Amino acid sequence: MEFFLRQAELNDVEFISKLSNQLGYESTIEKMHSRLSEILKNTDNSIFVCIYNENIVGWIHGFYSLRVESDSFVEIGGLVVDENYRRNGIGKILVEKVIEWANSKNSTKIRVRCNTVRKETHIFYSKIGFNETKEQKIFDMKL
């Protein structure tokens, strides 16, 4: 299988939304369009898509994160590979692309957060070189 990677474009929104739905992140096209538009304008964010046979079969979002208490890093905000193309190396290729982008930002660390129920995802990240450093709870407040 030969894959082609490129930066995401606003007209990719339907494909990105469809893939996001596969992991349970349902959204309207309008909301996804708005978020994607904002992200694409921000140089501290990058979204790459993986194309196979002229179809988007995966995407990854990386963003540069600044913290007062620790050194900066790049975080993977999302990674989705089409369920019909998983276990073909696409996820690893996408992560490598974000690592390349992180290096261009002079970042020395990349981080990813995974839902505790996604055990296969934990195995994937461990296999490609990530180390588990902590578990945490996330609290949200609607505004």
Side-chain angles (χ1 to χ4, degrees):
M1 292 186 141
E2 282 196 42
F3 305 106
F4 169 70
L5 272 78
R6 67 165 168 77
Q7 287 193 340
E9 301 168 352
L10 203 48
N11 60 5
D12 296 330
V13 69
E14 288 187 44
F15 295 102
I16 291 171
S17 181
K18 178 183 161 192
L19 291 174
S20 299
N21 288 342
Q22 288 184 7
L23 287 186
Y25 297 108
E26 294 186 22
S27 181
T28 65
I29 295 294
E30 293 78 20
K31 284 183 180 181
M32 185 71 75
H33 186 278
S34 176
R35 289 192 298 262
L36 186 59
S37 177
E38 189 172 351
I39 289 168
L40 291 174
K41 289 184 227 172
N42 185 324
T43 59
D44 282 338
N45 284 260
S46 192
I47 302 176
F48 298 99
V49 294
C50 181
I51 299 170
Y52 176 69
N53 281 344
E54 299 182 24
N55 293 308
I56 294 175
V57 296
W59 65 263
I60 191 166
H61 169 216
F63 62 94
Y64 186 72
S65 186
L66 295 172
R67 301 284 192 265
V68 171
E69 77 286 355
S70 62
D71 292 337
S72 63
F73 56 91
V74 166
E75 184 165 341
I76 295 172
L79 167 63
V80 182
V81 174
D82 186 301
E83 59 196 4
N84 298 309
Y85 292 89
R86 293 182 188 151
R87 292 177 183 67
N88 285 302
I90 296 170
K92 183 178 181 192
I93 291 168
L94 287 165
V95 169
E96 288 169 351
K97 189 66 176 173
V98 167
I99 290 170
E100 180 184 310
W101 180 77
N103 286 331
S104 77
K105 303 292 269 180
N106 295 319
S107 186
T108 59
K109 180 169 69 173
I110 189 159
R111 172 177 286 167
V112 64
R113 300 170 199 266
C114 296
N115 190 317
T116 57
V117 299
R118 297 195 193 278
K119 302 296 183 194
E120 287 187 28
T121 305
H122 305 167
I123 293 167
F124 164 75
Y125 283 116
S126 292
K127 280 185 178 179
I128 65 169
F130 284 79
N131 296 307
E132 184 177 341
T133 56
K134 70 177 176 178
E135 281 191 36
Q136 63 187 126
K137 295 188 182 296
I138 297 175
F139 299 87
D140 289 336
M141 177 189 289
K142 294 270 188 196
L143 301 178

